[in-house]
């Protein structure tokens, strides 16, 4: 059995004070929860606050983004080592909003994943098709390309340390969550691509999360699928009650 990962992507919500308040309420709600990993991705400047607020808990904190260079003249960027130094142990890479608004490519995703790994962070690499690609029946084609360019270039040792999140863009923030069957089918495709490149054993250990309009009332159906190894939750993770219900469904 793969240990599930329940992750909260806060995007550009919550300042440091709101971050601290969240954990004051959230930590007791999931006290004793040990069946899955819980990871929260706050805004970069609130990473130290989040780390401090979760020190006595199994909750881990991650960076939503990082740049691949170690340091240099890259105004506005943060390196993987800097994120690690701030207390992050995980990183999101290639979220669709990074791809859409900041023009990240699959090649960037590979470099960022490698940088995260060299800094000792655990990357969750995000993939998923756009609404028009979904409508045109191109989901498989897109996932194959994103895997080939963004992930297949890792070494076996590197691949063993990543998780993947399947997040169809038509499902993000729209309320249209993918059905458990659609999500499961995409996860199988990703797993079969991974198996071709990295072999069966590596793929049996690979954790693939689903993300896109997860809510307390649809998480159970998704978690019934053995192919779904966790959740990447945006909107519904901002509220401690709601995210704790999602975590408990893992
Ligand atoms: P959502 O976002 O849960 O608000 O749809 C998910 C994500 O973008 O990771």
């Amino acid at each position: 059995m793969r240990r599930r990962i329940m992750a909260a992507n806060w995007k550009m919500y919550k300042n440091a004070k709101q971050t601290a308040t969240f954990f004051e309420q959230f930590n007791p709600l999931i006290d004793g929860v040990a069946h899955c990993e819980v990871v929260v991705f706050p805004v970069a400047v609130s990473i130290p606050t989040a780390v401090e607020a979760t020190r006595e808990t199994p909750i881990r904190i991650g960076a939503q983004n990082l740049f691949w260079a170690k340091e240099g003249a890259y105004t506005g960027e943060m390196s993987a080592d800097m994120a690690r130094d701030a207390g992050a142990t995980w990183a999101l890479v290639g979220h669709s909003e990074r791809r859409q608004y900041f023009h990240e490519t699959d090649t960037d995703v590979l470099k960022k994943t490698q940088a995260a790994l060299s800094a000792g962070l655990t990357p969750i690499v995000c993939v998923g098709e756009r609404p028009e690609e979904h409508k045109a029946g191109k989901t498989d084609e897109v996932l194959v390309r994103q895997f080939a360019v963004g992930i297949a270039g890792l070494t076996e040792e590197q691949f063993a340390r990543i998780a993947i999140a399947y997040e169809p863009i038509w499902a993000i923030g729209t309320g249209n969550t993918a059905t458990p069957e659609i999500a499961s089918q995409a996860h199988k495709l990703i797993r079969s691509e991974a198996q071709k490149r990295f072999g069966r054993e590596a793929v049996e250990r690979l954790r693939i999360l689903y993300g896109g309009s997860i809510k307390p009332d649809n998480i159970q159906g998704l978690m019934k699928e053995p192919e779904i190894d966790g959740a990447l939750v945006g909107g519904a993770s901002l509220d401690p009650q709601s995210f704790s219900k999602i975590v408990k469904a893992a």
Side-chain angles (χ1 to χ4, degrees), residues 53-73:
T54 54
R55 199 170 289 287
E56 306 293 318
T57 77
I59 303 163
R60 293 292 168 263
I61 302 302
Q64 294 176 14
N65 177 41
L66 47 85
F67 190 60
W68 56 76
K70 280 203 164 299
E71 60 180 12

Short mmCIF file of all heavy atoms in Angstrom, two decimals, residues 53-73:
data_model
loop_
_atom_site.label_atom_id
_atom_site.label_comp_id
_atom_site.label_asym_id
_atom_site.label_seq_id
_atom_site.Cartn_x
_atom_site.Cartn_y
_atom_site.Cartn_z
N ALA A 53 4.53 26.99 13.21
CA ALA A 53 3.20 26.63 13.70
C ALA A 53 2.92 25.13 13.62
O ALA A 53 1.92 24.65 14.16
CB ALA A 53 2.13 27.38 12.90
N THR A 54 3.79 24.37 12.93
CA THR A 54 3.55 22.93 12.79
C THR A 54 4.70 22.10 13.39
O THR A 54 4.79 20.90 13.15
CB THR A 54 3.39 22.56 11.29
OG1 THR A 54 4.52 23.05 10.57
CG2 THR A 54 2.14 23.16 10.70
N ARG A 55 5.55 22.78 14.13
CA ARG A 55 6.77 22.14 14.64
C ARG A 55 6.50 20.84 15.41
O ARG A 55 7.20 19.86 15.24
CB ARG A 55 7.53 23.14 15.52
CG ARG A 55 8.98 22.76 15.74
CD ARG A 55 9.77 23.88 16.39
NE ARG A 55 10.01 25.02 15.51
CZ ARG A 55 10.85 25.04 14.50
NH1 ARG A 55 11.52 23.96 14.18
NH2 ARG A 55 11.01 26.12 13.75
N GLU A 56 5.51 20.83 16.23
CA GLU A 56 5.24 19.66 17.08
C GLU A 56 4.28 18.67 16.41
O GLU A 56 3.69 17.83 17.07
CB GLU A 56 4.62 20.10 18.41
CG GLU A 56 5.41 21.14 19.19
CD GLU A 56 6.73 20.59 19.70
OE1 GLU A 56 6.73 19.44 20.18
OE2 GLU A 56 7.76 21.28 19.58
N THR A 57 4.08 18.80 15.12
CA THR A 57 3.07 17.98 14.43
C THR A 57 3.72 17.22 13.26
O THR A 57 4.84 17.56 12.86
CB THR A 57 1.96 18.87 13.82
OG1 THR A 57 2.46 19.47 12.62
CG2 THR A 57 1.51 19.96 14.78
N PRO A 58 3.02 16.24 12.69
CA PRO A 58 3.58 15.56 11.50
C PRO A 58 3.33 16.34 10.20
O PRO A 58 3.70 15.88 9.13
CB PRO A 58 2.81 14.23 11.47
CG PRO A 58 1.64 14.40 12.36
CD PRO A 58 1.78 15.63 13.18
N ILE A 59 2.69 17.51 10.28
CA ILE A 59 2.40 18.30 9.07
C ILE A 59 3.72 18.83 8.49
O ILE A 59 4.58 19.30 9.24
CB ILE A 59 1.48 19.49 9.40
CG1 ILE A 59 0.19 18.99 10.06
CG2 ILE A 59 1.19 20.35 8.16
CD1 ILE A 59 -0.60 20.08 10.78
N ARG A 60 3.85 18.74 7.18
CA ARG A 60 5.06 19.25 6.53
C ARG A 60 4.70 20.45 5.64
O ARG A 60 3.57 20.56 5.16
CB ARG A 60 5.71 18.15 5.68
CG ARG A 60 6.27 17.03 6.51
CD ARG A 60 7.49 17.48 7.34
NE ARG A 60 7.87 16.51 8.36
CZ ARG A 60 7.52 16.56 9.64
NH1 ARG A 60 6.74 17.54 10.09
NH2 ARG A 60 7.93 15.64 10.51
N ILE A 61 5.70 21.30 5.42
CA ILE A 61 5.46 22.55 4.69
C ILE A 61 6.27 22.54 3.39
O ILE A 61 7.40 22.07 3.36
CB ILE A 61 5.88 23.75 5.58
CG1 ILE A 61 5.09 23.73 6.91
CG2 ILE A 61 5.70 25.08 4.85
CD1 ILE A 61 3.56 23.77 6.77
N GLY A 62 5.67 23.08 2.34
CA GLY A 62 6.36 23.09 1.05
C GLY A 62 6.29 24.45 0.38
O GLY A 62 5.50 25.32 0.76
N ALA A 63 7.15 24.62 -0.63
CA ALA A 63 7.16 25.84 -1.44
C ALA A 63 6.30 25.61 -2.68
O ALA A 63 6.33 24.53 -3.26
CB ALA A 63 8.60 26.16 -1.85
N GLN A 64 5.56 26.63 -3.09
CA GLN A 64 4.69 26.50 -4.27
C GLN A 64 5.47 26.58 -5.57
O GLN A 64 4.97 26.23 -6.63
CB GLN A 64 3.64 27.61 -4.27
CG GLN A 64 2.65 27.54 -3.14
CD GLN A 64 1.69 28.72 -3.14
OE1 GLN A 64 1.61 29.46 -4.13
NE2 GLN A 64 0.98 28.91 -2.06
N ASN A 65 6.69 27.11 -5.47
CA ASN A 65 7.48 27.34 -6.67
C ASN A 65 8.92 27.58 -6.24
O ASN A 65 9.18 27.94 -5.10
CB ASN A 65 6.96 28.58 -7.40
CG ASN A 65 7.78 28.91 -8.63
OD1 ASN A 65 8.19 28.04 -9.38
ND2 ASN A 65 8.06 30.20 -8.83
N LEU A 66 9.85 27.36 -7.16
CA LEU A 66 11.24 27.74 -6.92
C LEU A 66 11.93 27.89 -8.27
O LEU A 66 11.37 27.50 -9.30
CB LEU A 66 11.95 26.68 -6.07
CG LEU A 66 11.76 25.22 -6.50
CD1 LEU A 66 12.74 24.82 -7.57
CD2 LEU A 66 11.90 24.33 -5.28
N PHE A 67 13.12 28.47 -8.24
CA PHE A 67 13.88 28.60 -9.47
C PHE A 67 15.06 27.64 -9.43
O PHE A 67 15.55 27.31 -8.36
CB PHE A 67 14.36 30.05 -9.64
CG PHE A 67 14.93 30.31 -11.01
CD1 PHE A 67 14.15 30.14 -12.14
CD2 PHE A 67 16.25 30.71 -11.16
CE1 PHE A 67 14.67 30.35 -13.42
CE2 PHE A 67 16.78 30.93 -12.44
CZ PHE A 67 15.99 30.76 -13.55
N TRP A 68 15.52 27.19 -10.60
CA TRP A 68 16.51 26.11 -10.60
C TRP A 68 17.94 26.55 -10.30
O TRP A 68 18.74 25.73 -9.85
CB TRP A 68 16.47 25.34 -11.91
CG TRP A 68 16.68 26.18 -13.14
CD1 TRP A 68 17.86 26.69 -13.58
CD2 TRP A 68 15.67 26.61 -14.07
NE1 TRP A 68 17.66 27.41 -14.73
CE2 TRP A 68 16.32 27.36 -15.06
CE3 TRP A 68 14.30 26.40 -14.16
CZ2 TRP A 68 15.63 27.94 -16.13
CZ3 TRP A 68 13.62 26.97 -15.22
CH2 TRP A 68 14.27 27.73 -16.18
N ALA A 69 18.26 27.84 -10.51
CA ALA A 69 19.63 28.26 -10.22
C ALA A 69 19.85 28.29 -8.70
O ALA A 69 18.91 28.45 -7.94
CB ALA A 69 19.90 29.63 -10.81
N LYS A 70 21.10 28.11 -8.29
CA LYS A 70 21.39 28.10 -6.85
C LYS A 70 21.31 29.50 -6.27
O LYS A 70 20.89 29.71 -5.14
CB LYS A 70 22.78 27.51 -6.60
CG LYS A 70 22.78 25.99 -6.66
CD LYS A 70 23.97 25.44 -5.88
CE LYS A 70 23.84 23.96 -5.56
NZ LYS A 70 22.69 23.60 -4.73
N GLU A 71 21.81 30.47 -7.03
CA GLU A 71 21.71 31.88 -6.67
C GLU A 71 22.04 32.68 -7.92
O GLU A 71 22.45 32.10 -8.92
CB GLU A 71 22.68 32.25 -5.54
CG GLU A 71 24.13 32.01 -5.87
CD GLU A 71 25.08 32.37 -4.74
OE1 GLU A 71 24.62 32.61 -3.60
OE2 GLU A 71 26.29 32.42 -5.00
N GLY A 72 21.86 33.99 -7.89
CA GLY A 72 22.23 34.77 -9.08
C GLY A 72 21.30 35.94 -9.29
O GLY A 72 20.44 36.26 -8.47
N ALA A 73 21.47 36.59 -10.43
CA ALA A 73 20.71 37.79 -10.75
C ALA A 73 19.37 37.38 -11.37
O ALA A 73 19.18 37.44 -12.59
CB ALA A 73 21.52 38.67 -11.71
#
